[in-house]
Amino acid sequence: MKDMMKQLKGDIRRTGFSMPEDVLGLGRGRTYFVRTYGCQANVRDGETLAGMLEQMQFTAAETQEEADVLIFNTCAVRRAAEEHVLGEIGNLKTLKRAHPDKIFALCGCMAQEEGIVDEIRRKYPQINLVFGTHNLAEFPELLKRVYEEEGQLIAVQSVPGEVVEGMPVERQRRHKAFVNIMYGCNKFCTYCIVPYTRGRERSRMMDAVLAEVRQFHAAGGREVTLLGQNVNAYGKDLQMADGFTDLLDAVAETGIDRIRFYTSHPRDYSSTTIDAMKRHENIMKSLHLPVQSGSDEVLRRMARGYTADSYRALFDDMKARIPEITFTTDLIVGFPGETDEQFEETLKLVDYCRFDSAFTFIYSPREGTPAARMEDTIPAEVKKQRLAVLNERITRYARENNEAYLSRELEVLCDGPSKKNGEVYAGYSRENKLVNFTGHNIAVGDLVRVKITDVKSYSLDGEAVQK
Ligand code: SAH
Ligand code: SF4
Ligand code: F3S
């Protein structure tokens, strides 16, 4: 972990990806499946892995049981997610016995944890390959070695600092894309493992980001989501004075229909970014702005670098300048030492901001982080109770906010038939509301005007307006 702090200084290496020739036929007659957990950064990495596998001539399997190569692309942000993955890879033992030729791999953030890697070494011999988040570009070679060598191969580099351009990508969708603008995080919030699993902040060069957006747009893409743990810090490492705003302007000028970004940190938000959001019609006015807690004392111990008041001030400023803006957030309950009063402060902040929705979590201690060494005396029951109270409040505001859309027409980007009902389409509005709607001859990727006929807490129902 100390090494990690040291890496905050020093140059970032930039390299280009090239597929080794001797792996190109490796996938002939073989199938793959990538099982992805966690955040959008992981989803995007999963698409890179799929892209590499396709270049090696693997084909996608329908189910994970069928796949010749099965990859668990994991998340380490909370213990529960890790336990789920450990359960899943435990179950692979029987599958391996029946099909010894199958290759099982684990990558992503769990692979960056020493404790987890030790556990896999000791207890999960059925896993053939473990590779870290900084080893993504080596995956084709590693896979080749797995086919050639006996035993378990572990390739986890702890030193990041490389930005690799030109990796292949097999996107899950053709109309919506995740585009990395930066990797890693320097914020070191005291509860969070991400800076340790993803390394320090490294921005991609603006040209590389723009090339990816343009290429996607030219291929008929409609919406890009710019990704980073803290997008507002984009370009700081490139000595750009106002990098994220410059980037937003440039991406908006590509003419792509919709631009979103994820995630913003309240501390780095610049006023010019709000101007840019206002300036460009194709930048969506919905913002995910994690607050975590409404208590100044808890925020201080989380090392978030702002107070409840300064968060409210930022929130008010944005609402004043962009009245139609919608907000979502992340909240943690049961941070070590959180008192009833401090939890009440969180509720108060929620009452003030009336978020459109929120991801809410019970604090989960992560080994090696400062908060994991803080005394945690809150009983599990109390934490659960707080989460229930908070969720009830969040749902109430979500519902109330949605009421305002009744009878209105929204522009919806069609994602395809709804998951629940094949005769109904689903998509997201500009406000980032999930809308289920009826209509005729609508294709994935169409921008459809939908009249809202009913509202629920976390979705809207409507009918396509025929032109
Ligand atoms: N970079 C993003 C968040 C990435 S993690 C940001 O700062 O906005 C997504 C969310 O997981 C965080 O916002 C936080 O609410 C939650 N989280 C992170 N570490 C956690 C932990 N140890 N226990 C519980 N929730 C956690
Ligand atoms: Fe974690 Fe904080 Fe970085 Fe977000 S900003 S990834 S919560 S350390
Ligand atoms: Fe999880 Fe890693 Fe993302 S810990 S939230 S997959 S950066």
Side-chain angles (χ1 to χ4, degrees):
M1 299 272 165
K2 276 199 198 101
D3 291 348
M4 193 68 69
M5 287 300 221
K6 274 189 221 146
Q7 289 152 27
L8 291 173
K9 299 193 186 102
D11 286 333
I12 291 163
R13 287 207 356 244
R14 290 173 193 279
T15 53
F17 175 82
S18 63
M19 184 65 90
E21 276 189 20
D22 58 351
V23 302
L24 284 174
L26 198 62
R28 224 166 280 149
R30 290 174 170 149
T31 61
Y32 74 93
F33 196 93
V34 183
R35 188 73 197 273
T36 294
Y37 299 82
C39 66
Q40 288 86 340
N42 252 18
V43 173
R44 185 60 183 77
D45 285 353
E47 293 178 340
T48 298
L49 289 169
M52 289 170 167
L53 287 156
E54 298 267 343
Q55 264 195 14
M56 288 185 266
Q57 298 183 33
F58 283 86
T59 50
E62 292 282 320
T63 64
Q64 69 176 55
E65 286 73 25
E66 286 167 25
D68 297 313
V69 173
L70 171 58
I71 304 175
F72 285 82
N73 183 21
T74 64
C75 172
V77 86
R78 282 168 294 275
R79 180 65 195 163
E82 289 185 354
E83 274 163 8
H84 178 80
V85 168
L86 293 174
E88 289 264 334
I89 64 173
N91 292 339
L92 295 178
K93 238 178 210 155
T94 7
L95 194 58
K96 188 78 172 188
R97 223 172 281 136
H99 305 276
D101 292 344
K102 282 187 191 287
I103 301 294
F104 300 141
L106 184 141
C107 64
C109 289
M110 280 172 74
Q112 293 298 135
E113 292 181 279
E114 275 169 41
I116 295 283
V117 174
D118 284 346
E119 204 174 329
I120 293 173
R121 252 196 210 107
R122 279 185 286 116
K123 294 199 213 151
Y124 302 92
Q126 64 272 33
I127 297 293
N128 303 85
L129 168 66
V130 177
F131 61 104
T133 59
H134 308 301
N135 302 74
L136 193 64
E138 293 156 40
F139 170 67
E141 287 155 69
L142 294 171
L143 185 60
K144 178 160 182 278
R145 279 180 57 194
V146 167
Y147 275 112
E148 289 167 357
E149 298 167 16
E150 294 282 309
Q152 197 174 51
L153 178 59
I154 297 191
V156 179
Q157 179 185 319
S158 62
V159 184
E162 205 168 84
V163 173
V164 185
E165 290 297 346
M167 286 193 277
V169 57
E170 178 70 19
R171 294 193 194 277
Q172 287 178 4
R173 297 166 180 276
R174 284 177 170 195
H175 63 298
K176 295 208 286 201
F178 290 133
V179 176
N180 289 309
I181 63 169
M182 59 198 299
Y183 306 98
C185 182
N186 285 0
K187 285 280 184 279
F188 290 94
C189 302
T190 55
Y191 51 81
C192 183
I193 200 168
V194 172
Y196 308 98
T197 62
R198 293 278 171 173
R200 67 179 158 125
E201 278 169 8
R202 286 106 57 210
S203 299
R204 286 178 74 195
M205 300 301 279
M206 197 146 119
D207 287 351
V209 174
L210 290 175
E212 189 174 335
V213 174
R214 284 199 195 103
Q215 200 181 16
F216 176 70
H217 186 206
R222 295 283 200 180
E223 178 179 298
V224 288
T225 301
L226 308 177
L227 291 185
Q229 292 301 338
N230 169 21
V231 291
N232 305 82
Y234 173 79
K236 285 195 171 173
D237 54 325
L238 301 173
Q239 279 73 50
M240 294 170 82
D242 199 6
F244 187 55
T245 306
D246 295 348
L247 181 73
L248 275 184
D249 278 330
V251 173
E253 274 151 27
T254 64
I256 187 124
D257 300 81
R258 289 178 168 199
I259 300 158
R260 302 185 190 278
F261 46 89
Y262 201 84
T263 307
S264 295
H265 194 295
R267 190 160 83 191
D268 289 328
Y269 227 94
S270 84
S271 182
T272 57
T273 296
I274 308 174
D275 292 335
M277 289 177 73
K278 211 176 149 76
R279 196 157 48 237
H280 301 285
E281 203 254 337
N282 54 352
I283 300 182
M284 297 302 102
K285 275 62 173 170
S286 73
L287 193 63
H288 187 66
L289 195 64
V291 65
Q292 316 299 357
S293 166
S295 150
D296 288 349
E297 173 56 19
V298 173
L299 287 170
R300 192 186 59 74
R301 286 191 294 119
M302 288 177 163
R304 289 289 290 180
Y306 54 84
T307 61
D309 273 345
S310 66
Y311 184 91
R312 276 189 281 260
L314 178 62
F315 177 92
D316 287 341
D317 184 30
M318 290 194 199
K319 279 249 162 179
R321 285 153 75 181
I322 309 176
E324 73 273 31
I325 197 166
T326 59
F327 282 91
T328 55
T329 199
D330 292 347
L331 292 154
I332 296 176
V333 300
F335 188 77
E338 183 191 60
T339 63
D340 284 337
E341 291 72 31
Q342 289 166 343
F343 172 63
E344 289 293 325
E345 298 281 339
T346 296
L347 293 178
K348 254 192 244 163
L349 188 120
V350 169
D351 288 340
Y352 187 89
C353 297
R354 300 167 162 264
F355 296 106
D356 277 69
S357 91
F359 294 112
T360 55
F361 310 103
I362 292 181
Y363 165 74
S364 169
R366 306 286 52 219
E367 204 185 319
T369 61
R373 294 189 294 273
M374 296 177 191
E375 202 187 351
D376 183 3
T377 52
I378 312 166
E381 269 315 304
V382 173
K383 294 180 186 173
K384 276 193 203 151
Q385 180 63 25
R386 285 182 191 165
L387 185 69
V389 171
L390 181 63
N391 284 343
E392 192 269 328
R393 192 77 56 109
I394 294 289
T395 303
R396 192 202 307 162
Y397 290 123
R399 165 100 208 180
E400 276 180 29
N401 289 339
N402 278 354
E403 304 275 347
Y405 295 100
L406 196 61
S407 306
R408 273 179 56 187
E409 270 184 30
L410 303 181
E411 180 203 87
V412 178
L413 176 59
C414 180
D415 286 338
S418 139
K419 273 184 202 158
K420 288 187 195 150
N421 180 349
E423 297 183 356
V424 174
Y425 297 95
Y428 284 84
S429 73
R430 294 170 69 84
E431 299 78 8
N432 215 15
K433 298 281 176 188
L434 173 61
V435 183
N436 294 307
F437 61 100
T438 52
H440 301 291
N441 299 326
I442 293 166
V444 175
D446 281 355
L447 288 166
V448 188
R449 298 226 47 97
V450 175
K451 180 159 178 161
I452 303 305
T453 51
D454 196 8
V455 305
K456 307 204 165 72
S457 300
Y458 294 107
S459 65
L460 306 173
D461 291 341
E463 309 164 338
V465 179
Q466 304 298 335
K467 274 161 257 162

